[in-house]
Amino acid sequence: MSRAMQCQSCLPWGSWTQLHRSLPGSRGTRSMYLCAASVPGAAGSYLLRKILRASGISLPRGCVRYQGRSQEHSVQPSSSRHGLSPLRNVASSDAIKKHQKSLSAWFSHQPNEERQFGPSFSLDAVHVDPVIRESSLEEILKPSPDLTIQNQLQQPCSQVISLQNLFDVDACGRQVKNVVLYGTVGTGKSTLIKKMVVDWCHGRLPRFELVIPFSCEDLSHSHAPISLRRLITKKYQHLRDVVPMLGASNLKVLFILNGLERLNLDFRLAGTELCCDPNEPVPPSAIVVNLLRKYLLPEASIIVTTRPSAVRRIPGKYVGRYAEICGFSDTNLQKLYFQMRLSQPSCTGEDSVGSSSGEQENLVEMLSRNLERHNQIAAACFLPSYCWLVCTTLHFLYFTRTVPPSQTLTGIYTSFLRLNFSGEVLDSTDPTNISMMKYVAKMVGKLAYEGVMSRKTCFSEDDLQQCFEVEMKTESELNLLEVFRSDVFRFFLTPCVQPGKEHTFVFTIPAMQEYLAALYVVLGEKKTLAQRVGKELSEIIGKVSEDVAVVLSIISKVLPLRFLPVFFNLLKIFPRYFSRLSGKDRDAIAHTMAEELFKEEDYYNDDVLDQINSSILGVEGPMRHPDEAPDDEVFELFPIFMGGILSRRNRAILEQLGCSIKNLAAFEIAKAMKKTVIRNSRKGLPPSELMDYLFFLHEFQNERFTAEAIRSLRTVNLSSVKMTPLKCSVLASVMGTTCHEVEELNLTSCNLDTSSLKILFPVLLRCKALHLQLNSLGPDACKEIRDLLLHDKCVVSNLRLANNPVGEQGAQYLAEALAGNHSLTHLSLLHTALGDRGAEVIAQDLAKNQHLQELNLGYNSLTDAGALHVVEVAKKHATLDKVHLYFNDISEDGKRALHSLRMDRDGVRALVFLTAGTDVSDYWSNILNVVQRNLPFWDRERVRQHLALILQDLESSRRQTANPWRKAKFLRVENEVKKMLGKLQHGTL
């Protein structure tokens, strides 16, 4: 029977919606297993049950068991005392102890992707067992029609069985020897087996005295005959003394066969002969078949892990129990996993364990609330693999203090796919041996790309059929599609949980759609029919023409056939011409990247890192009403992933997954990008889009390209972008590719703190104008700023620290910086809580500075004494000619003293009020603009009082002058102040 015909009974060909119902983990009907030992095979058992139900015949109580109750009603086999002494000798032997130690070291080893969480994230430290549901072959072939994603997430499984109970007696009281543990990609099969082995090594699985795991992928690469005993000693040398006792004693052995889908097994006697001798050399597949037949070592227990499409490769009569890994179908398991992962001390790094514990708890709390809403993320985290991805992404977003080249968002997603698809072939029985990831990039990538282009995240059954089935022409293609549907589809697409969209599918994680769309484009899968035919023809003609031309060139020396080599040389022109057309494809990829990266309709969205954060943790606030129009879909990660996939490291990983991107192709795309991406970036971008552009350059990991792009950025405006440690690290990394001076860096209202300044230190040194207003920078941050200004490479000339809690202690650090700095000309300390004492501290070291030209001490609660002391020092300063003192607690006497200052006589001008004697101050508009810009962050009542005093001063000065021109100027300024007061009182300012 063909694979397509086999799978049709499992997943009906015409309906993608059936995948709603076949998702594991939801409550099933409580069917009964009946004792049917007299009827051979699973088919006989099923037939007997059907006949008995129709006849209304009931069976004895001992032969009936409800599925899922094995944990409560299982009967433990009594251990016989016969032969116990030799068993103890074997179990306590050095050989098995060495075997346990070796297995523990091997299976406890974590991949590189896990190490970013720190050494404490071992398999023992952080592990949550997924839900395992007892199943049957009939249920596998005929999934229940009433299963949906909703009851998976809300209702408990009624057939749950624990890992320790998989080998309990079955419903008829027979001892189970063979267990098939199956699950789709990402449900945690391999991790569960690793945990099972580690548990046995540590004495937590006492049922078995010896565990021998085999990788079916490893076995599939060997076809030479080998005996079972030789195979075991070849893989595990420590068992040389134990192997002779296999089959000769009552040693309780468990064989683990992981990834059975990699083996082509033939259970027919004509295909695989019977073999009961563990010393007889046979092919590895024959060893597996005879172990499962119970013809070889019949007393041994066997657990097989496989994907759903390969379950039927083992005849039902050889399987004692089917068990399905359902992942984290209970949201409480998801919460437990996140709690354990995100609460690890090493998650935040060694330097910030104490300071970040509150942030860790907050993350866990926000994530839990989002899961409780039954949001789409709960459906995603149904798969343990996606729980890992969520934790890794949060670790990247929140706990990254420095960004090594390997630490990119694209790298996380690429590594995530390697963890799940490395070495995986879609169907080992198919002659093409296409890698699973290559098939996904081709098929699912097309769907993802079409969704991005049409701004679409929900896909109907018609969309899936149009994308997946329209080009199916051969039996092989049909078989591959069926395997994909049963094993892989649910890893990438899941039913939508939004009301009214229950019959549509969405990508499990929104960013995965953009990643696969980017991979689809970069791999060159987006081709027209003419391009595909042209490529195939060019390859064929290129190979044939070279060989034929050589042969004919030899013949032409004997025979007068010189026209034939000329003819075949003409054929060579076609591949060359096509190579030029393929160069056009590279330009198209670069154009697509630039067009998507600089879309004007996306200019005022949050930056992509904030978007990812919101998609995981949700948006705090009231839920959207179902009838409310949804926001437009945003796909700003798509071009960033395109750049990230082109990085050398990600291309190397994708090569392992069967998705090859040649160096020449990456070089040509980068070359084409210089004409498009860099040119578009010079137009001037809003802060959030500029942050996205910087993140794109970081993901691209091309230092030469990044340096050329950064040299064109003379002004960097990131105001109001929440600069997390990750964003600061990205900014420092990208800007660090060049050494050019930056004219202006605007980091106003960016949530900066002391650690942010430390990360950005190399960048801040090169900035002439540095805007750090509204960042809650206190004394500790001022200490970093002092070190910055005293650095011999500092070029900062204009520093704005307005609206930061600098205080007296911070003023002390800034005063030390002023004394030794040689570049600063403008310093703004507006509204920094200095007070008189802070102003005096600044004034004490002001004389040591020889370059400062302007000092703003407005809104700092200065009294007459503090203000006059600063002005007295300013008079003696060589270059300081302007001091801002408005909105301070200065009396009328102090005001008159400050008004008496003259630039030509005293060398300094104090800006206190909007008047200058009987005239309007030349700086009145500057003062009002400062007030208007900072009003949202100031005490409005205090501002209202100051504006009232300013208005009284204006009216008084106007009455004192007889000049009509000056009176008109006074009236104009008075009107501006009155407008501001009116808006302030009505709350519209």
Side-chain angles (χ1 to χ4, degrees):
M1 184 183 293
S2 69
R3 173 64 52 81
M5 293 297 292
Q6 291 175 2
C7 295
Q8 276 183 344
S9 60
C10 177
L11 289 172
W13 167 249
S15 175
W16 287 90
T17 310
Q18 281 287 1
L19 290 170
H20 275 271
R21 306 161 186 159
S22 60
L23 283 169
S26 55
R27 178 182 297 179
T29 57
R30 297 201 292 185
S31 59
M32 300 178 185
Y33 280 123
L34 306 182
C35 184
S38 60
V39 183
S45 177
Y46 174 74
L47 181 62
L48 178 61
R49 287 198 300 271
K50 191 172 181 181
I51 294 173
L52 290 175
R53 287 195 198 100
S55 304
I57 302 174
S58 61
L59 288 177
R61 193 174 182 83
C63 294
V64 182
R65 181 176 62 84
Y66 289 101
Q67 291 183 7
R69 301 300 176 88
S70 60
Q71 206 165 353
E72 301 170 11
H73 303 285
S74 61
V75 180
Q76 297 291 343
S78 59
S79 60
S80 172
R81 304 294 298 178
H82 178 68
L84 191 59
S85 179
L87 292 185
R88 284 178 177 171
N89 292 334
V90 173
S92 60
S93 68
D94 293 338
I96 290 186
K97 288 181 179 178
K98 289 180 181 179
H99 179 60
Q100 288 178 325
K101 185 177 180 181
S102 176
L103 282 183
S104 178
W106 177 257
F107 281 87
S108 298
H109 177 75
Q110 296 295 323
N112 292 332
E113 288 79 8
E114 285 284 0
R115 294 175 189 171
Q116 61 187 302
F117 289 110
S120 66
F121 281 83
S122 65
L123 202 60
D124 281 340
V126 178
H127 181 76
V128 179
D129 285 331
V131 172
I132 303 175
R133 185 175 66 90
E134 189 171 1
S135 182
S136 65
L137 187 60
E138 292 83 2
E139 189 173 349
I140 296 170
L141 299 179
K142 296 182 180 180
S144 175
D146 59 350
L147 300 185
T148 65
I149 198 72
Q150 293 294 339
N151 57 27
Q152 287 177 42
L153 299 175
Q154 295 174 9
Q155 299 178 1
C157 296
S158 60
Q159 299 168 296
V160 172
I161 184 172
S162 70
L163 192 65
Q164 289 76 17
N165 298 116
L166 287 177
F167 290 94
D168 287 352
V169 295
D170 63 10
C172 301
R174 295 174 299 187
Q175 184 64 47
V176 172
K177 288 293 184 180
N178 291 351
V179 174
V180 172
L181 190 64
Y182 69 95
T184 58
V185 175
T187 50
K189 299 185 294 296
S190 297
T191 304
L192 192 64
I193 290 301
K194 288 170 69 175
K195 183 64 166 60
M196 184 179 187
V197 173
V198 171
D199 283 347
W200 175 76
C201 293
H202 295 163
R204 293 192 290 268
L205 199 64
R207 181 192 290 265
F208 302 105
E209 295 165 314
L210 180 62
V211 171
I212 304 176
F214 285 119
S215 167
C216 293
E217 180 183 2
D218 181 32
L219 296 179
S220 68
H221 295 309
S222 175
H223 302 285
I226 188 173
S227 69
L228 174 60
R229 289 178 177 173
R230 177 71 186 100
L231 180 64
I232 295 172
T233 55
K234 181 181 178 181
K235 305 299 180 183
Y236 306 105
Q237 293 184 2
H238 301 300
L239 297 180
R240 281 176 297 184
D241 298 333
V242 181
V243 165
M245 303 187 68
L246 292 177
S249 68
N250 292 328
L251 187 66
K252 297 176 181 176
V253 183
L254 171 65
F255 286 97
I256 298 177
L257 302 174
N258 188 33
L260 188 76
E261 67 275 356
R262 299 303 300 266
L263 284 175
N264 295 326
L265 303 181
D266 190 351
F267 281 83
R268 299 173 304 158
L269 290 178
T272 304
E273 63 178 344
L274 296 174
C275 175
C276 63
D277 185 0
N279 295 313
E280 181 180 347
V282 294
S285 60
I287 293 176
V288 173
V289 168
N290 281 289
L291 282 173
L292 290 170
R293 283 172 172 168
K294 291 303 168 196
Y295 204 76
L296 180 62
L297 300 185
E299 296 303 319
S301 298
I302 302 173
I303 184 168
V304 173
T305 67
T306 185
R307 302 199 303 255
S309 64
V311 169
R312 287 195 58 177
R313 294 187 188 179
I314 306 176
K317 62 183 177 180
Y318 298 129
V319 180
R321 174 169 285 125
Y322 291 94
E324 180 182 18
I325 302 181
C326 302
F328 296 153
S329 55
D330 186 352
T331 53
N332 289 324
L333 291 178
Q334 299 174 11
K335 292 179 184 179
L336 178 61
Y337 182 92
F338 292 132
Q339 180 73 34
M340 295 175 68
R341 274 281 191 185
L342 297 175
S343 298
Q344 287 290 321
S346 58
C347 187
T348 58
E350 295 179 359
D351 299 334
S352 55
V353 173
S355 60
S356 298
S357 59
E359 188 173 22
Q360 288 174 279
E361 293 175 2
N362 186 44
L363 278 179
V364 173
E365 178 63 28
M366 292 178 68
L367 196 52
S368 296
R369 285 203 298 268
N370 205 21
L371 291 170
E372 287 168 359
R373 297 189 189 110
H374 299 298
N375 208 328
Q376 197 67 49
I377 190 174
C381 293
F382 179 80
L383 295 173
S385 293
Y386 277 100
C387 292
W388 180 91
L389 180 61
V390 167
C391 288
T392 307
T393 306
L394 287 176
H395 180 268
F396 178 68
L397 292 176
Y398 282 89
F399 306 123
T400 302
R401 298 296 181 260
T402 58
V403 184
S406 60
Q407 189 78 301
T408 64
L409 186 67
T410 313
I412 288 175
Y413 274 75
T414 307
S415 299
F416 168 69
L417 294 175
R418 178 171 66 177
L419 283 173
N420 288 279
F421 295 96
S422 180
E424 291 286 346
V425 174
L426 183 62
D427 185 4
S428 61
T429 63
D430 188 80
T432 61
N433 254 355
I434 185 172
S435 76
M436 189 178 289
M437 195 61 229
K438 178 68 174 178
Y439 190 87
V440 167
K442 186 176 180 180
M443 303 296 289
V444 188
K446 179 183 177 183
L447 180 72
Y449 174 75
E450 291 177 354
V452 169
M453 291 296 101
S454 58
R455 298 264 170 166
K456 183 177 181 180
T457 57
C458 293
F459 302 93
S460 65
E461 184 178 346
D462 291 337
D463 295 329
L464 300 180
Q465 289 178 345
Q466 182 69 23
C467 185
F468 295 147
E469 300 177 9
V470 69
E471 296 182 3
M472 295 293 106
K473 297 177 181 178
T474 66
E475 180 74 8
S476 176
E477 291 175 337
L478 183 61
N479 291 340
L480 289 175
L481 181 61
E482 288 297 343
V483 174
F484 164 75
R485 291 177 60 180
S486 64
D487 295 352
V488 192
F489 178 84
R490 293 189 291 265
F491 185 85
F492 292 102
L493 289 154
T494 186
C496 184
V497 300
Q498 295 181 18
K501 297 183 179 180
E502 292 85 356
H503 298 289
T504 61
F505 291 87
V506 295
F507 278 83
T508 312
I509 290 285
M512 186 59 74
Q513 177 180 354
E514 299 175 76
Y515 181 93
L516 293 177
L519 184 61
Y520 177 77
V521 173
V522 174
L523 285 176
E525 295 292 341
K526 187 176 74 69
K527 289 187 176 73
T528 62
L529 179 62
Q531 288 174 325
R532 292 176 184 173
V533 173
K535 183 180 179 182
E536 293 174 0
L537 282 176
S538 69
E539 292 175 353
I540 295 171
I541 294 174
K543 293 176 181 177
V544 172
S545 61
E546 291 178 3
D547 298 335
V548 174
V550 171
V551 173
L552 291 178
S553 66
I554 297 172
I555 297 175
S556 63
K557 294 179 180 180
V558 181
L559 299 175
L561 300 174
R562 297 182 180 275
F563 69 93
L564 288 177
V566 174
F567 172 72
F568 281 101
N569 283 331
L570 290 174
L571 289 179
K572 291 181 181 180
I573 296 175
F574 184 80
R576 294 172 188 166
Y577 177 73
F578 185 81
S579 66
R580 293 181 182 178
L581 290 179
S582 65
K584 299 284 186 182
D585 293 342
R586 314 281 190 250
D587 292 340
I589 292 174
H591 178 75
T592 300
M593 201 179 302
E595 185 179 1
E596 293 296 321
L597 190 61
F598 300 108
K599 274 194 172 182
E600 293 188 6
E601 56 262 39
D602 296 335
Y603 267 13
Y604 298 99
N605 298 323
D606 292 337
D607 62 81
V608 291
L609 294 174
D610 284 348
Q611 291 176 26
I612 295 172
N613 183 67
S614 299
S615 70
I616 295 175
L617 299 180
V619 179
E620 296 296 320
M623 298 287 289
R624 183 190 298 275
H625 192 274
D627 297 333
E628 186 178 348
D631 296 331
D632 292 335
E633 300 293 348
V634 178
F635 297 96
E636 293 182 271
L637 268 175
F638 169 56
I640 293 174
F641 278 143
M642 287 179 69
I645 288 171
L646 288 171
S647 71
R648 183 179 298 274
R649 180 177 180 273
N650 286 317
R651 283 190 287 119
I653 296 176
L654 289 169
E655 180 77 32
Q656 300 171 18
L657 297 174
C659 300
S660 177
I661 303 170
K662 302 299 182 184
N663 289 333
L664 180 60
F667 173 77
E668 290 178 348
I669 293 173
K671 186 178 179 181
M673 284 167 57
K674 291 182 180 180
K675 307 173 186 177
T676 54
V677 174
I678 295 179
R679 184 177 65 244
N680 280 278
S681 69
R682 292 171 181 157
K683 296 178 181 179
L685 301 171
S688 62
E689 288 301 305
L690 180 58
M691 187 67 240
D692 289 346
Y693 179 56
L694 296 174
F695 189 60
F696 165 80
L697 295 176
H698 167 70
E699 294 285 313
F700 191 34
Q701 292 291 300
N702 187 320
E703 191 169 338
R704 181 182 297 180
F705 180 91
T706 301
E708 187 172 342
I710 289 299
R711 286 191 196 100
S712 64
L713 293 178
R714 293 291 175 179
T715 300
V716 180
N717 180 12
L718 296 174
S719 60
S720 300
V721 174
K722 185 180 180 181
M723 295 298 291
T724 62
L726 171 61
K727 295 177 189 176
C728 292
S729 299
V730 168
L731 177 59
S733 174
V734 170
M735 298 294 290
T737 56
T738 68
C739 299
H740 78 287
E741 293 183 358
V742 180
E743 294 294 330
E744 181 180 350
L745 176 60
N746 190 344
L747 296 175
T748 301
S749 189
C750 289
N751 290 71
L752 298 180
D753 55 16
T754 306
S755 62
S756 304
L757 297 181
K758 289 180 180 178
I759 297 171
L760 293 171
F761 194 91
V763 178
L764 303 181
L765 284 174
R766 296 156 39 199
C767 300
K768 293 182 178 179
L770 187 56
H771 301 265
L772 299 176
Q773 306 98 299
L774 295 162
N775 278 298
S776 302
L777 299 177
D780 290 339
C782 291
K783 190 175 181 180
E784 290 296 321
I785 295 172
R786 177 200 64 185
D787 297 341
L788 172 73
L789 294 176
L790 292 178
H791 199 280
D792 57 352
K793 293 184 179 180
C794 178
V795 299
V796 177
S797 60
N798 187 344
L799 176 60
R800 300 193 177 190
L801 289 170
N803 300 300
N804 284 297
V806 173
E808 182 182 336
Q809 182 60 49
Q812 181 65 49
Y813 292 128
L814 295 177
E816 295 173 15
L818 284 174
N821 179 265
H822 301 286
S823 63
L824 197 63
T825 58
H826 295 74
L827 176 62
S828 174
L829 296 174
L830 176 71
H831 192 219
T832 51
L834 296 180
D836 282 344
R837 182 57 189 152
E840 289 175 8
V841 169
I842 294 288
Q844 285 173 4
D845 289 329
L846 200 56
K848 300 176 185 177
N849 180 283
Q850 300 299 318
H851 303 278
L852 195 64
Q853 298 174 10
E854 185 173 346
L855 177 63
N856 191 335
L857 298 176
Y859 203 166
N860 272 297
S861 303
L862 300 188
T863 62
D864 295 357
L868 291 172
H869 179 66
V870 171
V871 170
E872 288 300 321
V873 175
K875 284 182 182 180
K876 302 171 184 177
H877 197 279
T879 58
L880 185 60
D881 60 6
K882 195 181 298 179
V883 180
H884 298 252
L885 295 170
Y886 41 81
F887 276 60
N888 281 303
D889 301 330
I890 301 174
S891 65
E892 288 295 324
D893 293 338
K895 175 192 166 185
R896 283 193 291 271
L898 293 172
H899 275 174
S900 65
L901 294 172
R902 293 290 181 269
M903 187 67 192
D904 53 351
R905 184 187 66 199
D906 302 308
V908 68
R909 174 173 295 146
L911 307 182
V912 185
F913 280 87
L914 302 185
T915 59
T918 57
D919 198 359
V920 175
S921 170
D922 295 337
Y923 301 97
W924 71 269
S925 60
N926 293 346
I927 296 174
L928 288 182
N929 285 337
V930 168
V931 174
Q932 190 158 359
R933 284 197 307 269
N934 292 278
L935 191 58
F937 320 106
W938 289 356
D939 182 356
R940 295 202 166 209
E941 180 58 27
R942 186 171 179 182
V943 171
R944 189 190 64 77
Q945 294 174 4
H946 277 283
L947 287 176
L949 291 174
I950 287 174
L951 186 60
Q952 292 177 10
D953 181 67
L954 286 169
E955 292 172 347
S956 175
S957 298
R958 175 169 53 83
R959 286 192 292 268
Q960 293 176 15
T961 183
N963 188 319
W965 174 247
R966 289 182 178 177
K967 284 182 177 289
K969 288 173 64 178
F970 274 116
L971 287 172
R972 179 189 172 190
V973 177
E974 286 176 31
N975 287 334
E976 292 293 330
V977 175
K978 287 178 180 178
K979 286 180 183 178
M980 194 174 292
L981 272 171
K983 291 180 180 179
L984 190 62
Q985 290 174 352
H986 291 91
T988 58
L989 188 62

